[in-house]
Amino acid sequence: MIVFDLACSHSHRFEGWFRSSEDYADQLANGLLQCPQCGCEKVGKAPMAPAVPAKSNGRTEIVAQPKPAAVSGGSEKALPTKLVEAMKALARVQAETIKDSTWVGEEFAKQSREMHYGERDEALIHGKATPKEAQELLEEGIAVAPLLIPVAPPDKLN
């Protein structure tokens, strides 16, 4: 998992958890990222301080980390504890839900249609679909739902 500090064009800062850098780039390119506070889709990476572990033979005192700079001068507020807990709970539920699911990647829309129209056996799958493909599936009466937490292909996991 990669955690990026993100910011919208209204200077709202938030975290994004991604399976890989490519997953972040794909979601950004497909317009799947938006600010949880205002819904703005103009989102980008915010400056962040790296978390570098101390060497075992290094100093033992705690060194204060610099606070990340705010994007375009807005005020920065921490996420409420209840929101963080809710996001963690969603991540756990999603992981439990897809643990028996098969990753089908770019074939998601095609395989969903084949199952819906009886051309293949029904199975629990997850993969990638563009917003347009997802809308078309819904219009055809095919039940699909977005994953709330990004998922990377199994072959791209660290």
Side-chain angles (χ1 to χ4, degrees):
M1 280 295 215
I2 296 175
V3 180
F4 290 131
D5 283 344
L6 303 175
C8 74
S9 61
H10 297 112
S11 300
H12 299 128
R13 290 181 62 105
F14 54 99
E15 272 187 1
W17 290 57
F18 303 92
R19 291 281 184 172
S20 64
S21 293
E22 293 85 19
D23 187 39
Y24 163 79
D26 288 346
Q27 289 188 39
L28 185 65
N30 289 316
L32 299 175
L33 298 178
Q34 32 175 242
C35 174
Q37 192 167 356
C38 68
C40 176
E41 293 181 358
K42 292 182 182 178
V43 173
K45 290 182 187 176
M48 56 189 274
V52 180
K55 292 173 70 176
S56 62
N57 65 350
R59 299 186 316 217
T60 58
E61 72 263 15
I62 297 173
V63 178
Q65 292 291 324
K67 189 173 183 179
V71 176
S72 45
S75 65
E76 184 179 332
K77 296 179 183 175
L79 290 175
T81 303
K82 285 187 178 185
L83 179 58
V84 171
E85 291 170 6
M87 291 171 67
K88 287 179 181 178
L90 282 172
R92 284 190 301 272
V93 168
Q94 179 174 297
E96 182 65 26
T97 302
I98 67 170
K99 77 176 184 182
D100 296 324
S101 178
T102 302
W103 170 260
V104 296
E106 305 287 339
E107 294 282 309
F108 181 79
K110 178 181 179 273
Q111 290 193 25
S112 295
R113 278 191 180 91
E114 289 173 353
M115 284 187 275
H116 180 76
Y117 294 112
E119 298 168 4
R120 71 179 302 133
D121 291 337
E122 297 235 351
L124 186 58
I125 62 171
H126 65 283
K128 286 185 166 186
T130 66
K132 181 182 178 195
E133 288 174 324
Q135 183 63 39
E136 289 170 351
L137 290 169
L138 290 170
E139 288 171 359
E140 289 178 50
I142 301 170
V144 296
L147 295 175
L148 300 175
I149 310 296
V151 175
D155 62 334
K156 293 199 177 187
L157 296 177
N158 294 338

